[in-house]
Amino acid sequence: MSNDTNVDDPPEDATGAGPEEEQAQSQDQEPARQGDRTPPEEGGGQGDDVGGVDDGDEFDDPIDEFEPESTEADDDIETVDDLGSTVEVDPGVEIDEEIAEDDLLGGLKIDSTEDIEVPDRLVDQVIGQDEARDIIIKAAKQRRHVMMIGSPGTGKSMLAKAMSQLLPKEDLQDVLVYHNPDDGNAPKVRTVPAGKGEQIIDAHKEEARKRNQMRSILMWVIIAIIIGYAILSPASILLGILAAGIVWLIFRYTSRGTDAMVPNMIVNNGNQRTAPFEDATGAHAGALLGDVRHDPFQSGGMETPSHDRVEPGSIHKSNKGVLFVDEINTLDVRTQQKLMTAIQEGEFAITGQSERSSGAMVQTEPVPCDFIMIAAGNLDAMENMHPALRNRVKGYGYEVYMEDTIEDTPEMRRKYARFIAQEVERDGRLPHFTDDAVEEVLLEAKRRSGRKNHLTLHFRSLGGLVRVAGDIARAEDRDRTTREDVLQAKRRSRSIEQQLADDYIERRKDYELQVADGGVEGRVNGLAVMGEDSGIMLPVMAEIAPAQGPGQVIATGQLKEMAEESVQNVSAIIKKFSDVNLSEKDIHIQFVQAGEGGVDGDSASITVATAVISALEDIPVDQSIAMTGSLSVRGDVLPVGGVTHKIEAAAKAGCETVIIPKANEQDVMIEDEYEEMIEIIPCSNISEVLEVALIGQPEKDSLLDRLKSITGTAFDQGQSTVGSASGSNPSPQ
C-alpha cells in the first residue's frame, strides 16, 4: 500500500489532546463533504462528539488519551500518480515488437502465466476500461461520487474496490452509542479516533465489573447480617430469609443500571488500514440505513437498553470510505430519498425501520456517514433511479459508461495474458496456463466480442472459462493448464441457453422438423440467438390465402414489438413489386416452434420476406440454406447481432450455406470445426438474397428482374457507413 492509502499512522488529534482540542482539530482537518451541505457551525463539528454531545460527567471515559501502535511507511511504494496498467514479466522474458502485431500474445515471450507479474493494486489490474479507471482515480483524489452504467461483468465492482485503496489518507473513526439517562429512547452518539473505541469500552467494562464486585460484597454482607440475626432469633427465621431474598432482588435489579453505562461500539475501525469499503448491493432499508433491534421485554426491568440494540447501516460503516450499490434502481424509492439525505448531510440518525417494532421508538443522534457513493447498474438502472439522487451524483461527481469491447492491439493482448495470471493468483488453487492455453483464451475473447478486431470486456464470464479450464487441469493433478484443457472447458462451460439450443437442434433432427435439403415454397430456415451466446435455427413459413375482407398480414409465434414492425416493413416491399392484388389476400406468417419466449428483434426480416415472396410466386426455397438479416423498406439488408453464433447453429443443423448481411462480414469468427461445414454468403439487398435462396430458373429470373428494377442500387452508396453501426440489439432474435 502507498502512503496515499495507508492509515497506519496515529491520528494527530489523539495524542494527549483534551476533548475540546480534539474537536477543534478534527474540524480543521476534515475535508468538505460532497453535496450541498452547509458548513458546520462553529464548535459543532464532528470531532469526538456528534449531535451536540459534550464531554459531561455522563461521558467521562476512563481513557482520555490514545496512542495506537505506529508502523513504518513503505517509502518504495508508488503513489496514485504513478499508477499504470503495463504488463511486467520476470527478468529475462522479452517482448518481441517485430511479431507483436500478428502474435496472439502481442509478442510476449513466456512459457506460462507464472512469468507475468500481477500488480498489487486493484486499479492496476483493471483492463480495457481506461476512461472509467481514470475517472476513479480523479474521483478518489477529489472525493467525488461516481455512477457506472454498463453490462454485468465489465469491472464495476472491481473499480469500486479499487477506489477504497486510492482514497487520500484520513483519520478513521470509531462510533460509540451511549445510554441517555434523560431519555432512554434517544441514545447519545460519540465519535473517537479509530482504535480508541475498544479501549474505552474495555475500561467501562472493567469499571462496571469493579462496581458490581463492590455491590456484590455489600449485598452478601447485608444478607449475612440478616441471616445471622434471624438465626439468633428463631422466631423470625422465615422473616429473615424473606428479607434476604428481597435484598438480593434489589441489588440484582439496580445492577442493570451499571451495565447500561457501558457504551455500544457500532463502527469499529481499529484494525482498518485503508478506507472502508461496503457493498450494499441488494441491501434492505435496515441494512443500508441502520436499524434498532426489537425488544419483546419492554418493561419490568428486563429490557435491553436501547443503545445496545442499535445496529449500524452500510452508510455508517462506510464513513470516510466507499459505499458501493449495484443495481441502484432496485432500491425502494423511500430508501433512495433517505440515501440522498445521507449523502447531502454527511450524517444520518439510526432508527427502527419497522413501524411495528419497539425499535421504531428509538432514534439516535446523527451518526457520521461521510462516504463516497459508487452507484452501478445496467442501462435500465437510470429509468427507475430517483431523479434527485441521480442529480446529486451527477452534480457532484461523474457518470461513466462501461465499454463492452476494446480494440484488439498487441498491448491489449498482453494485458489479457496478465488477466489470466490475475485470475490464477486470485483463485490460489489453479495451475498456471501455458502460452498456447493463453492463446486459446484470447481467441475466445475475440470471438465473444462479436466484432472484428475487438476483444470482449465481459471478464466475469471469461474468468469463468479460465477457472473451469484450471479445474480440469487440477483434477488431473497437472502443474500447467494446457490448450486442450481450455478447449474442453469451452464445451463444459456452455451457457444454459446454448445447452437448450443444442438440445432443440438434436430433437428437431429426430422428429424431422428441420429440412436441410430439397426445395419448399414459402419455407425458410431463419436464425436466432438465445441469451447472448447461443444460436438456434428457427424456420419461418408463409402461406397466401383469399381474404374474407380487407387483406391483412397475420403473423403467429408470439412476436414482440420489434418483430411485428419488421413484418410490416416486409409487407411494404411485397406490395411494391408484387403483381398480386394484396387487398384480396391474407398473408399468414408462422414462426415455427418459437417457444415461450417468443420472437424479438428484426433479424428475421429477410427470412420473412423470402418466405412470403416464395409463397406469392410459387418459387421454392433451397432448404440447405439458412439466413439472418434485417431489412429496410427499400430492400436493403442491414446488419444484425450474434452472427457468429447463428452461423454455428446453421452448421450444427446440417445447412450447407448461410446468408448474412454484408456489413456483418467482418464480425464472423466461427470455430475452426465449422469453417469446412458451411459456406457464408454476404448480401447487401433482397435481390441478392433471393438469387441465392430461390430455386427454379425461369420464374426466379423473371422475379429478380422485376425486383432489381425496384431496389436497384439504393443501398450501394453508404453501405459501409451503415455496416459500421453493427446492427441493433447485440443479440436480436
Side-chain angles (χ1 to χ4, degrees), residues 288-521:
L288 179 64
L289 305 171
D291 205 348
V292 180
R293 284 179 281 117
H294 174 66
D295 185 4
F297 305 102
Q298 274 302 105
S299 60
M302 300 180 65
E303 71 275 5
T304 302
S306 60
H307 75 284
D308 273 341
R309 296 186 282 120
V310 173
E311 297 289 345
S314 295
I315 62 173
H316 307 111
K317 296 177 183 177
S318 59
N319 183 40
K320 305 297 184 184
V322 175
L323 176 71
F324 176 63
V325 184
D326 201 358
E327 303 299 338
I328 183 75
N329 57 309
T330 61
L331 290 179
D332 182 77
V333 173
R334 289 177 295 179
T335 302
Q336 293 188 47
Q337 290 174 328
K338 293 178 181 178
L339 181 59
M340 181 180 61
T341 301
I343 292 174
Q344 178 176 340
E345 300 298 330
E347 56 186 21
F348 194 82
I350 299 176
T351 187
Q353 296 298 324
S354 174
E355 296 179 354
R356 298 184 179 182
S357 168
S358 62
M361 299 185 296
V362 178
Q363 182 168 347
T364 70
E365 293 179 333
V367 180
C369 54
D370 182 18
F371 56 83
I372 296 175
M373 188 178 79
I374 297 186
N378 301 327
L379 286 173
D380 61 349
M382 296 179 290
E383 298 178 4
N384 297 323
M385 185 177 179
H386 196 290
L389 177 59
R390 183 185 176 189
N391 181 266
R392 186 72 57 192
V393 175
K394 186 177 181 180
Y396 298 95
Y398 300 90
E399 289 186 346
V400 58
Y401 176 72
M402 307 292 288
E403 298 290 342
D404 289 324
T405 63
I406 188 73
E407 187 177 355
D408 181 11
T409 63
E411 181 185 3
M412 286 307 304
R413 288 178 226 145
R414 293 194 289 268
K415 290 181 180 180
Y416 270 71
R418 192 194 68 199
F419 161 74
I420 299 172
Q422 290 171 186
E423 291 298 303
V424 172
E425 291 292 335
R426 186 176 292 116
D427 187 274
R429 296 168 295 179
L430 303 179
H432 277 281
F433 281 54
T434 61
D435 55 348
D436 57 348
V438 174
E439 290 177 352
E440 190 60 38
V441 175
L442 274 163
L443 286 173
E444 185 65 14
K446 287 185 175 187
R447 183 171 176 268
R448 293 188 181 189
S449 71
R451 298 176 61 186
K452 196 74 170 180
N453 298 324
H454 278 73
L455 297 165
T456 182
L457 291 178
H458 290 253
F459 286 109
R460 184 173 295 133
S461 59
L462 199 63
L465 176 65
V466 170
R467 285 182 284 276
V468 172
D471 288 343
I472 293 172
R474 186 168 176 262
E476 298 181 7
D477 200 23
R478 285 189 270 106
D479 58 354
R480 289 290 183 270
T481 304
T482 64
R483 178 175 180 270
E484 288 69 26
D485 296 326
V486 178
L487 292 174
Q488 187 176 351
K490 288 167 67 174
R491 292 189 292 269
R492 287 190 181 181
S493 61
R494 293 178 304 160
S495 65
I496 296 295
E497 290 86 356
Q498 186 61 61
Q499 295 177 46
L500 287 172
D502 292 344
D503 184 57
Y504 287 162
I505 291 173
E506 291 301 318
R507 291 192 179 192
R508 287 175 178 176
K509 285 181 179 178
D510 292 342
Y511 293 97
E512 298 182 352
L513 294 176
Q514 291 184 179
V515 181
D517 54 14
V520 179
E521 292 85 356

Side-chain angles (χ1 to χ4, degrees), residues 204-216:
H204 272 288
K205 288 181 178 179
E206 179 63 21
E207 186 174 319
R209 186 188 66 79
K210 290 179 180 179
R211 289 179 181 175
N212 287 335
Q213 187 176 20
M214 293 298 297
R215 293 171 65 88
S216 295

Side-chain angles (χ1 to χ4, degrees), residues 519-633:
V520 179
E521 292 85 356
R523 186 189 188 281
V524 182
N525 293 318
L527 296 170
V529 290
M530 299 173 61
E532 296 181 355
D533 60 353
S534 309
I536 188 171
M537 197 159 81
L538 186 66
V540 175
M541 294 185 179
E543 188 66 41
I544 310 300
Q548 300 299 321
Q552 57 182 329
V553 177
I554 303 168
T556 59
Q558 298 191 46
L559 270 66
K560 297 184 181 178
E561 186 174 351
M562 285 186 65
E564 289 179 352
E565 291 178 356
S566 70
V567 171
Q568 297 301 322
N569 291 342
V570 168
S571 65
I573 298 173
I574 297 169
K575 292 174 184 177
K576 192 170 184 179
F577 87 89
S578 178
D579 292 334
V580 180
N581 185 2
L582 295 181
S583 63
E584 300 176 355
K585 302 288 185 181
D586 285 340
I587 302 176
H588 295 262
I589 302 171
Q590 179 187 12
F591 288 79
V592 182
Q593 292 187 322
E596 294 181 1
V599 179
D600 194 12
D602 62 346
S603 65
S605 297
I606 66 168
T607 308
V608 173
T610 302
V612 173
I613 293 171
S614 171
L616 277 172
E617 302 293 331
D618 291 327
I619 303 176
V621 178
D622 188 349
Q623 297 301 299
S624 66
I625 294 176
M627 62 182 68
T628 183
S630 180
L631 196 63
S632 74
V633 293

